[in-house]
Amino acid sequence: MGISMLIWALSLCVRYIFRLKVIEEAPLFLDGEELRSRVLEAPDKLLPYVFVRGVVVPHEDILCLEADISINGVLMRATVTETIATHLQGWRISRRRSVRWIYSSAVPFLLRYDGHVIRVVKAEEADQLALPAVKFVRRLNEHSTSGLWMGLLRRLATVVEVHEEMVRAGAYVTVGGEVTVADDGSLLIGPSADWLPMILTGLTKAQLVLRGQRQIVQDSLYAKLTFAATVIFCAFAYAVTDLLM
């Protein structure tokens, strides 16, 4: 168990180091003409991985929240959460867990920057981090039960909620992905064919790099603690085995 946890922790470190290296080396284009010229000059008219930051502009279709159709946008995601609260003689203990992921859906939208636009496709496949989204919570179900537990009055209250998020027009986002040229000559940015992570976030590239560095520090610390725990466990198991023999 300890060795498997150590391998898992080390794999996380390697993953985040690779991810951070990709983000740091990817160019950030703020000039629309420069990006277009670079794409047209590239082999197969394709840039494997770049970053573009701009304002969200709806392209053709829009999405609407089921609970409030007046709230619309280009990307929507939702989760169902279940909160169970236990009341025991005046004491309250609650826990929340995610029941299941409902959906993450998006429609193609435009990103306006420096007077130019680029079309963002398959945004639902991107790693969505710190999105500038409107949040909405609606309650699906609520029920409670009461009874005796070891002679004490206990009441269980369960609440099921849907947490929805919508990225609306006018939001500033940063998109990292593969840039190609569409048949009509417009630029597209979407998931990379080289298994590089497409990123959609409200953070700037600098903030994204800083976040990645912090994640690596946390994971490396976790790996070190896991390694120490594994060594202690193995030493203890060896001592017990030697004692029994």
Side-chain angles (χ1 to χ4, degrees):
M1 177 66 73
I3 295 177
S4 62
M5 290 183 63
L6 178 60
I7 294 174
W8 177 74
L10 291 175
S11 66
L12 275 182
C13 288
V14 172
R15 175 190 173 191
Y16 281 114
I17 290 173
F18 170 75
R19 180 190 180 96
L20 180 61
K21 180 178 175 60
V22 169
I23 294 174
E24 287 179 329
E25 294 180 350
L28 171 65
F29 285 95
L30 301 176
D31 187 328
E33 288 295 338
E34 181 185 2
L35 176 58
R36 173 170 287 278
S37 62
R38 287 280 297 275
V39 174
L40 295 178
E41 294 171 359
D44 299 325
K45 295 183 179 180
L46 181 149
L47 292 180
Y49 202 74
V50 302
F51 279 95
V52 180
R53 181 169 177 81
V55 181
V56 172
V57 178
H59 180 45
E60 294 177 351
D61 300 324
I62 58 173
L63 302 173
C64 297
L65 284 182
E66 182 178 344
D68 188 350
I69 60 174
S70 65
I71 300 179
N72 53 62
V74 297
L75 185 143
M76 176 172 57
R77 63 181 182 179
T79 54
V80 172
T81 61
E82 180 185 59
T83 303
I84 302 175
T86 303
H87 299 264
L88 186 63
Q89 291 294 109
W91 292 88
R92 184 180 188 274
I93 304 173
S94 63
R95 67 180 187 273
R96 172 175 290 183
R97 65 186 181 95
S98 179
V99 179
R100 66 182 182 276
W101 178 269
I102 299 181
Y103 53 74
S104 174
S105 59
V107 293
F109 61 92
L110 302 177
L111 205 62
R112 179 180 293 142
Y113 66 107
D114 188 40
H116 295 75
V117 293
I118 185 171
R119 196 187 327 161
V120 182
V121 295
K122 298 183 179 180
E124 68 276 6
E125 299 180 13
D127 291 346
Q128 301 162 10
L129 308 172
L131 290 177
V134 176
K135 298 182 180 181
F136 191 85
V137 180
R138 55 191 175 95
R139 186 162 294 184
L140 290 183
N141 188 20
E142 181 177 4
H143 67 274
S144 61
T145 58
S146 301
L148 293 177
W149 181 76
M150 297 182 64
L152 301 176
L153 179 62
R154 182 179 68 170
R155 183 170 66 88
L156 298 177
T158 303
V159 177
V160 180
E161 297 174 326
V162 177
H163 294 250
E164 295 175 303
E165 296 177 274
M166 176 72 76
V167 177
R168 308 187 69 183
Y172 274 90
V173 297
T174 303
V175 182
E178 179 182 274
V179 176
T180 57
V181 180
D183 294 336
D184 59 0
S186 61
L187 298 185
L188 305 177
I189 185 168
S192 173
D194 294 333
W195 301 101
L196 299 175
M198 181 182 178
I199 295 176
L200 179 65
T201 178
L203 304 175
T204 64
K205 184 188 173 185
Q207 292 172 328
L208 200 58
V209 170
L210 182 60
R211 177 175 177 149
Q213 292 171 343
R214 290 175 178 171
Q215 187 67 53
I216 290 174
V217 171
Q218 293 175 2
D219 288 341
S220 61
L221 178 61
Y222 178 76
K224 291 176 182 177
L225 293 175
T226 305
F227 176 73
T230 303
V231 171
I232 294 173
F233 174 78
C234 292
F236 177 77
Y238 177 79
V240 171
T241 304
D242 186 59
L243 182 63
L244 293 177
M245 294 179 62

